Amino acid sequence: MKNLTIFSAACLIFAVACNDTKTSESKKEMDITPPKAEKIAKNLEMHGDVRQDEYYWLNDKENPEVIDYLERENDYYDKLTAHTNDFQKDLFEEMKSRIKEDDASVPYFYNGYYYITRYETGKDYPIHSRKKGSLDAQEEIMFNVNEMADGHSYYALNGINVSPDNKWAAFGIDTVSRRKYTIHIKNLVTGEIVPETIPLTTGGSTWANDSKTLFYTKKDEQTLRSNQIFRHIKGTDTSKDKLIFTEEDETFGTYVYKTKSEEWLVIGSYSTLTSEFQILNANKPEGDFKVFQPRIRGLEYSISHYGDDFYVVTNLDNATNFKLMKTPETKTKLENWTEVIPHRKDVFLEDIDIFKDYLVVSERDNGLNKIHVKRWDGNQEYYLPFTSETYTASPTQNIEFDTTILRYAYNSLGTPASIIDFNMETHEKTVMKQTEVLGGNFDSANYEEKRVWATAADGTKIPVSMIYKKGTKMDGSNPLLQYGYGSYGATIDPYFSSVRLSLLDRGFIYAIAHVRGGQYLGRQWYETGKLLTKKNTFTDFIDVSKFLIAEGYTSSEHLYASGGSAGGLLMGAVVNMAPELYNGVVASVPFVDVVTTMLDDSIPLTTGEYDEWGNPNEKEYYDYMKSYSPYDNVKALDYPNMLVTTGLHDSQVQYFEPAKWVARMRDLKKGDHLLLFHTNMEAGHGGASGRFEALKEVARDYAFILDLEGKAK
């Protein structure tokens, strides 16, 4: 129900920034002349308003001069950070040393097989395998991604989808980091990958129950919008696949899946505010899909099948925090929906999991995850007990239907991630795995977790989740890293990171600002942080910063901010609005040229974002966007030390947004604070592929702030 088109995992990997305490070496390096992008006059006119974009020419990555500029920026970055190269390597090895290399996931059972993902020592990519019937059975390796990725600088495999007869696996491959996956099919009996390939897809697919019919989603070549559903018959020419559905509305995307009951194929259409589904009996893949409930603007719903009914999580009838309804599978229009769990003003209903005897409801109450277990026969219901205020808990990998075992994941800012099997009948809890933190130095008892509340300028209480070493004195001298996102209703829950220990153990406090624009405090928290209230996201973050300073957690000399993607927009906005609060900021793959991007419907994902940011073809939204768009509001300010990163092949936030932003800041900024820009010339929105290659990017960012904080030792 949430459109996370800009949100990426890269935003969660690191939350880093910089400081102003320069080493003598870095002072010397400041004499190096920063690159300067050529200015070429370009006027952009809309609603009678003219914006000058002198760096518009950077949009063309086929232009050798554009590549030359990006490489000059990379060279400048390399020269100014050369003195931290050894420290970066040390940090990388430090972070890597905490991670169990020969690791494996908790096996899950599905359709007669246990499925396992494991890693081998010294290898960057996973091995996907299975065992028939028993964990003692012989391992069948389905995909050794290390071998598959050999020779590629970037390699991503996703969407592994095994056929009901267990003989075939469809999967998607991307070797560019543009999120344009080619689907392949592997014979799991012979190990052969069949010659039929399907390009330009999401990578995901679903088999009909006949194990020969495969449904998949294709993307628009230019916009990368997921807009078409096709049907492929295994063994036939993929160029002759039948087009089943085209999503004509440019503000929508589409996808296809099968219900947990295995009885229905489902085509979903989604936008930020509206959803629609079509269903087809999974035993009759040649049939026609039937609309479940026609789309109505503002009506969001999702469907799960059980018995003879569908269960519907929806915001129907102004159920802002959503409610649960059900309807017969033969009568799916909303006039047939009946209430199962009513709407609650203070409890956000996030999702459901259906089992033969139990309904499991994922809720959020006062920002905290709750797992509500109910028997279908009404004889029992209860909540799983959680006592912390800085934890994350959610059901995971509950693929089996006829079972009393609920599998859920749990972690907190100071507690490594655990996978737990909970017997819903006996209430017995079995920790199947807790992520090991190697090295022998980690003890969760050495850290303090807490949740505090800052007061925004309009009186709203903003929750903040924090962690730091016990015994830390709150005298304003602590370096503090404040992370934020605040868009698309994406909630950044408190989560454990062994990588983050490299900051905590060097005296940093880490804080997540749960600003409006996410859904931490329910749906209204999102509604008051988007469209014409988007600035609440930025002012909330700033007010949290002021609170942290006023309470003695840190000072402006030691406060750092970090965000990526739409969180990079947050970084761009706050440095324009309150640069004096921060000693440094890291903006990763930042969305900073809001007006120009949202006016260009040829850019991937733009039209689907209108309900998040507004449509600037309407003057009201144009004016509001322009008032906060980081690129349009760069001024002659003394900006904090800044590190900006991007990927040349980014499909979510195009590389030229941060490139133009940095060029304009270089031209206008005052003072001598660092402004560094690094482009990964081989990756996209999620950064480097590979388990440990990504750590090198984190080490780069950590080294930047630790060096400026005087802790690069």
Side-chain angles (χ1 to χ4, degrees), residues 36-76:
K36 195 165 187 175
E38 181 183 3
K39 292 182 179 181
I40 300 176
K42 174 77 172 179
N43 289 337
L44 303 173
E45 184 172 357
M46 191 70 181
H47 304 299
D49 178 59
V50 178
R51 292 178 301 125
Q52 293 185 340
D53 189 349
E54 65 276 24
Y55 301 112
Y56 190 87
W57 64 275
L58 288 171
N59 290 29
D60 182 12
K61 69 179 175 183
E62 302 303 320
N63 181 348
E65 293 183 9
V66 172
I67 301 301
D68 176 68
Y69 170 69
L70 297 178
E71 290 176 341
R72 283 190 288 124
E73 283 283 3
N74 280 357
D75 182 62
Y76 179 69

Side-chain angles (χ1 to χ4, degrees), residues 596-611:
T596 305
T597 292
M598 293 305 298
L599 281 170
D600 187 352
D601 59 14
S602 71
I603 292 176
L605 309 174
T606 290
T607 54
E609 305 290 331
Y610 287 159
D611 287 333

Side-chain angles (χ1 to χ4, degrees), residues 16 179-180 498:
V16 274
R179 300 190 184 183
K180 296 193 291 188
S498 67

Side-chain angles (χ1 to χ4, degrees), residues 272-273 297 530-534 591 594-595 597-599 606-622 624-625 628:
T272 304
L273 296 175
R297 180 167 174 78
K530 67 173 185 176
L531 296 173
L532 297 176
T533 60
K534 186 65 210 169
F591 174 44
V594 183
V595 179
T597 292
M598 293 305 298
L599 281 170
T606 290
T607 54
E609 305 290 331
Y610 287 159
D611 287 333
E612 178 70 25
W613 313 104
N615 184 347
N617 291 292
E618 300 175 24
K619 189 175 186 304
E620 181 181 27
Y621 290 109
Y622 174 91
Y624 190 75
M625 279 183 199
Y628 69 74

